[in-house]
Amino acid sequence: MIKGLAVNLLLLLILSGLLAVPFLPFNYLALHSSSSVLSAKSWNDNGLVAVSDLSPLSKKVSVKVFPGQAAYYDDISSLANLTSSPKTYSIAAYYNLSNAKVKVGFSNNLSEIHLNPGEKTSINLEVFGILDVPSEELIILEIN
Amino acid sequence: MVYKSLVRLIDKAVLPAALLLSSKILGVIGVNYIYHLGWSFTSTGLVFYSQKDFVLANSYSSLFMFAVIFLGLLFTLIQALFFHDSHIAPNMAVFLKGRGWEYLIKGGFEVYSAAFVWLSYAWLTTVILFYQNSFGALYSWVLYICFAVSFVATLMVLLDIELELLLVSKVKESRRSVLPSFFDISSVIKKP
């Protein structure tokens, strides 16, 4: 009984493996780090509207800001050093100063990070609304 | 029974797995060659330098892979609908027998195991493409085509299963209608 169950389980594993094999190449297609905005998620609210590429090194982020409230967005984009040498990256945010206060940083909470070859980091964003009414703000992120 | 079914499914999944794996790889190579895309080999795999190139390579190679799934599904559906031993047209059966092509006539177990494998690949591909499409890594129309083909193929397989079940129930009914008359006759025989 147990032997039969084990054999069936093994066969089921082999079948699952066979069904998964054709999809392996999907994992080996990647986009270069400088333009790798393929995912964007916010963990605290639904204020993050969209993240898109302007160019390989700049990203356009739309957020909804609320008066006197701060919103934190983790991992809105990621950056990986796919070159063969260590590199220091910096990030800056451009936005309308009279509408919001914006702080942008990598996973080390700084606007600069040193990445070894193959190392990856996330980009985090903090937005504080200044206006009296909720508004949608556009933030441009530049990576150097 | 489970053991037999699993062995049959594994047997039926080996060739499609090899075909699909090579079609995806060939698709990527073909798209890179035709469109002269910028890419490099790294430890993470094939890395593209622009999102446009990445989406193009991913979309067309996935479409090429799905074309192979479509051919596999088409072959299986033709077998299920026209060469299925339970409801093959008599003139077709005679024609195949006359030409010595009776090996084309397949039983339910063989037809449904092949259909299961190809439909699994079709739906797995659709789910993966749906996931990629949500991140903008794929042309949406590729996903729509894959979904439509998978949906129609599933419906056709379900229709074939329905036809099979209908035939089975008809056979059972005809057996039931024969049995009472037999008992009637036996009771008649016992009387004297």
Side-chain angles (χ1 to χ4, degrees), chain A residues 23 28 45 68 116 137 143:
Chain A
F23 304 104
Y28 293 98
D45 64 5
N116 289 317
E137 294 302 320
I143 301 165

Side-chain angles (χ1 to χ4, degrees), chain B residues 88-126:
Chain B
I88 187 170
N91 53 349
M92 177 65 84
V94 171
F95 173 78
L96 293 174
K97 185 85 180 165
R99 301 239 168 177
W101 294 346
E102 59 265 31
Y103 61 87
L104 288 173
I105 302 169
K106 300 290 180 192
F109 192 50
E110 195 149 349
V111 166
Y112 294 133
S113 53
F116 173 84
V117 167
W118 283 111
L119 281 179
S120 300
Y121 282 129
W123 281 110
L124 279 172
T125 308
T126 307

Side-chain angles (χ1 to χ4, degrees), chain A residues 7-8 11-12 14-15 18-19 21-23 25-32 35 37-39 53 82, chain B residues 3 6 10 17 20-21 24 44-51 54 58 62 65 121 124-125 128 132 135:
Chain A
V7 170
N8 286 337
L11 289 172
L12 202 65
I14 294 170
L15 181 65
L18 270 174
L19 289 177
V21 158
F23 304 104
F26 283 84
N27 286 330
Y28 293 98
L29 286 185
L31 191 60
H32 195 267
S35 57
V37 185
L38 284 177
S39 64
D53 278 354
L82 292 180
Chain B
Y3 171 83
L6 285 170
I10 289 169
L20 296 180
L21 182 69
K24 178 72 182 176
T44 53
L46 200 65
V47 175
F48 291 88
Y49 291 105
S50 84
Q51 186 157 4
F54 172 75
N58 189 37
S62 299
M65 181 180 162
Y121 282 129
L124 279 172
T125 308
I128 287 173
Q132 289 191 331
F135 293 122

Side-chain angles (χ1 to χ4, degrees), chain A residues 27-116:
Chain A
N27 286 330
Y28 293 98
L29 286 185
L31 191 60
H32 195 267
S33 60
S34 59
S35 57
S36 60
V37 185
L38 284 177
S39 64
K41 53 190 175 202
S42 63
W43 56 265
N44 62 337
D45 64 5
N46 55 3
L48 185 70
V49 180
V51 180
S52 58
D53 278 354
L54 276 180
S55 74
L57 288 169
S58 64
K59 287 120 187 29
K60 187 171 85 173
V61 185
S62 299
V63 286
K64 201 166 184 183
V65 292
F66 297 92
Q69 280 183 29
Y72 305 92
Y73 303 102
D74 270 3
D75 203 12
I76 61 161
S77 178
S78 60
L79 177 78
N81 181 7
L82 292 180
T83 63
S84 53
S85 54
K87 215 172 165 184
T88 301
Y89 296 90
S90 64
I91 190 163
Y94 299 93
Y95 57 98
N96 191 341
L97 281 166
S98 57
N99 292 354
K101 276 183 186 171
V102 174
K103 199 178 155 192
V104 66
F106 296 110
S107 52
N108 59 357
N109 288 325
L110 298 172
S111 59
E112 205 171 85
I113 197 164
H114 185 78
L115 294 178
N116 289 317

Side-chain angles (χ1 to χ4, degrees), chain A residues 128-139:
Chain A
F128 185 80
I130 295 176
L131 288 178
D132 293 333
V133 288
S135 65
E136 198 174 307
E137 294 302 320
L138 188 70
I139 301 160

